[in-house]
């Protein structure tokens, strides 16, 4: 039986025809092209590279950008895309978040016309892959402390520093690298093969195994004047990108949660212990109801968030609230699903442990759960608790 | 080349086991089930698109007009086909209950007269009613050649005819029909090499499935026109010829019986099941 989604409050009614069509298209794509193979990739620790071209052809890369070969979808449609992709796997959704929100978005928003023309159509088609270099080994939640430096020379800029936990880092054709130039954070487009630029894959992950994670090294890496993103200065640059990505993550987490809930519900109906299906026991029903309730709340949060974004009124703290809530709830849901599945829950046969472990990363990346708590705490009290 | 593709929405066939019969037995209800395009019709759209494009360069080389008869919200089903790449849509407003294959064929006859397509390509049957009649009745009404259960279509004679592979018991029957014609399609019509239009290079292999609506397709479908008619405004006066008397679910199967011995099994198979 095909996946019909979880829609207890008939939220589907609030979507436009176009949004529904986007959702059903991506849902079929995930059902037919992603799910049959994703557990094998996860176990092998490989990204399903063969899907990149298809993601491009469907228009799922940078879908919210208007022009340059992109579809120009609204924020709700973009959210639904990421939700459906993450029902497949958080790694796949991460790929699209990075390519769209963290690479294409800054090139589109802060890049020169030449940079846009050069990169956006290829990135949209999936012919080029991008990565986003902000986090450093010693600077995660505090990006402003970054050590990576850019120095102006007569030929351009010389970059020095290390970036870590970079999705797609060692497969990327272009890296959006953030570095301090005269004390001010600036963005640079560093192309694969630039002398002094190298990347190394990070192995040994329990989480996001169907996703490439890398470390980037910049050692006297000389980039031309045209590598600089001219349109932004300061942390506002990377933080705007992260805000767009976090918006997508809030939606994506719902996809992972729905996958876990559906799986747990089906399993509980089939699995008999003592005299009847375990779905007939109060403790199991309680878990299933908790899961459904949190999914429904998360869906309503996201839809409202999307409509706010559409009307240009979205505040970044509102995104923090949704990312913070939806990811932690998805994580709880994945754990409850694992519990309901018993021993089967830890195998590759079922998606729940995969989602559970993936969500541990999602909980931490793009602003940890705790950092979003402090962002919101500061917003409502006016008092910063960061330092 | 211009192709008319009639499509119908049906209750989600993946959840067909949730279809119910109304309490008074007067109709089948599918409330709460998602409406989707009939799978054979989706294949017909795919076949029509492949016939009218260069598959390698993805350039459009003809026109596909998609039509559907039903309540206003079939517009969404039509949009789905436009998002796949069809050029235009036609919606004929009509209540689902007031139609049978004969009425639909009469409506399509009028649309054919308006559009004058080179081909009408449609699914061999609907997965809800399963009547498998519309294509055949339409061809008869129009006096056109027909090729049913197509699993391949090859344009021939400089676009004046089609060689159609038909699924028949134990093999494939190849027939040549002059255009215009009516073709109803079977599952294998979406095979990677099932369509040859003389434009797409023979080396090009399609995926073995109908295409996904791309996001750009979905965006451009918003701007594509859907003309609206009603059955009456088209001048169709046919009434359904089929009257449904009563619907009922198959009787529930009685519980099985456990037997103690082979002897008893043989006895029961003989005396009760009467199979030996």
């Amino acid at each position: 039986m095909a996946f019909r989604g979880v829609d207890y409050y008939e939220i589907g009614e609030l979507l436009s025809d176009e949004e529904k069509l986007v959702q059903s298209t991506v849902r079929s794509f995930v059902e037919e092209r992603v799910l049959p193979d994703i557990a094998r990739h996860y176990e092998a620790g490989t990204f399903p590279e063969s899907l990149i071209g298809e993601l491009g052809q469907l228009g799922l890369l940078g879908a919210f950008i208007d022009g340059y070969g992109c579809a120009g979808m609204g924020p709700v449609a973009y959210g639904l895309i990421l939700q459906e992709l993450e029902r497949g796997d958080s790694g796949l959704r991460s790929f699209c978040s990075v390519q769209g929100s963290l690479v294409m978005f800054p090139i589109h928003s802060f890049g020169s016309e030449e940079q846009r023309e050069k990169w956006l159509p290829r990135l949209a088609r999936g012919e080029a892959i991008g990565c986003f270099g902000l986090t450093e080994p010693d600077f995660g939640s505090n990006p402003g402390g970054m050590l990576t430096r850019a120095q102006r020379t007569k030929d351009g800029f010389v970059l020095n520093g290390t970036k870590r936990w970079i999705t797609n880092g060692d497969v990327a054709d272009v890296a959006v690298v953030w570095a301090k130039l005269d004390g001010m954070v600036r963005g640079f487009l560093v192309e694969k093969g630039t002398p002094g630029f190298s990347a190394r894959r990070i192995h040994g992950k329990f989480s996001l195994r169907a996703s490439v994670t890398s470390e980037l090294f910049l050692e006297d890496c000389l980039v031309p004047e045209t590598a600089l993103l001219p349109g932004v200065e300061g942390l506002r640059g990377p933080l705007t990108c992260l805000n767009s990505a976090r918006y997508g993550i809030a939606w994506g987490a719902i996809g992972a949660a729905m996958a876990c809930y559906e799986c747990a519900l089906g399993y509980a109906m089939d699995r008999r212990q003592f005299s009847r299906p375990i779905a007939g026991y109060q403790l199991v029903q309680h878990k299933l109801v908790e899961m459904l309730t949190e999914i429904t709340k998360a869906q309503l949060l996201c839809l409202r968030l999307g409509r706010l974004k559409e009307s240009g009124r979205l505040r970044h703290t509102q995104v923090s609230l949704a990312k913070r809530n939806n990811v932690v709830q998805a994580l709880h849901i994945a754990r409850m699903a694992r519990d309901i599945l018993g021993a089967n829950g830890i195998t590759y046969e079922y998606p729940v442990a995969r989602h559970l472990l993936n969500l541990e990363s999602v909980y931490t990346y793009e602003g940890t759960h705790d950092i979003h708590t402090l962002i919101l705490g500061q917003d409502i009290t006016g008092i910063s608790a960061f330092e | 080349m211009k192709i008319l593709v009639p499509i119908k929405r049906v209750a989600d066939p993946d959840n067909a086991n949730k279809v119910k019969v109304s309490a008074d037995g007067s109709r089948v209800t599918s409330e709460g089930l998602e409406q989707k395009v009939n799978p054979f019709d989706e294949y017909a759209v795919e076949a029509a698109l492949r016939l009218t494009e260069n598959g390698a360069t993805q350039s459009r080389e003809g026109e596909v007009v998609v039509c559907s008869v039903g309540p206003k919200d079939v517009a969404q089903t039509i949009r789905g086909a436009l998002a796949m790449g069809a050029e235009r849509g036609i919606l004929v407003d009509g209540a689902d209950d007031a139609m049978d294959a004969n009425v639909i064929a009469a409506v399509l006859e009028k649309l054919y007269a308006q559009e004058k397509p080179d081909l009408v390509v449609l699914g061999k049957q609907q997965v809800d009613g399963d009547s498998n009649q519309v294509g055949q009745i339409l061809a008869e009404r129009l006096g056109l050649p027909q090729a049913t259960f197509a699993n391949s279509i090859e344009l021939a004679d400089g676009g004046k005819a089609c060689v159609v592979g038909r699924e028949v018991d134990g093999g494939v029957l190849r027939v040549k029909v002059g255009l215009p014609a009516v073709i109803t399609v079977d599952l294998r019509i979406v095979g990677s090499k099932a369509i040859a239009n003389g434009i797409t290079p023979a080396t090009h292999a399609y995926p073995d499935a109908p295409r996904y609506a791309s996001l750009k397709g979905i965006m451009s479908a918003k701007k594509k026109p859907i003309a609206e008619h009603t059955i009456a405004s088209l001048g169709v006066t046919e009434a359904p010829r089929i009257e449904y008397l009563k619907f009922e679910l198959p009787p529930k199967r009685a519980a099985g019986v456990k037997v103690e011995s082979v002897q008893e099994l043989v006895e029961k198979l003989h005396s009760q099941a009467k199979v030996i």
Side-chain angles (χ1 to χ4, degrees), chain A residues 1-2 4 18 25 32 58 72, chain B residues 14-15 32 212-213 215 219 222:
Chain A
M1 195 170 79
R4 295 183 58 226
E18 157 202 332
T25 295
E32 291 155 16
L58 276 173
Chain B
D14 288 329
N15 284 297
Y212 296 108
L215 266 58
M219 292 303 276
K222 286 203 298 187

Side-chain angles (χ1 to χ4, degrees), chain A residues 255-284:
Chain A
M258 289 199 300
C260 293
Y261 167 73
E262 285 279 306
C263 179
L265 177 61
Y267 185 88
M269 299 291 282
D270 285 342
R271 170 81 174 169
R272 298 180 74 88
Q273 285 296 285
F274 303 104
S275 59
R276 57 202 160 129
I278 60 171
Y281 294 103
Q282 291 182 355
L283 289 173
V284 174

Side-chain angles (χ1 to χ4, degrees), chain A residues 68 107 111-120 189 226 230:
Chain A
Y68 305 95
I107 293 174
S112 64
E113 195 51 42
E114 293 71 40
Q115 290 168 334
R116 292 181 197 159
E117 296 283 357
K118 177 172 182 184
W119 288 109
L120 292 179
L189 300 181
T226 54

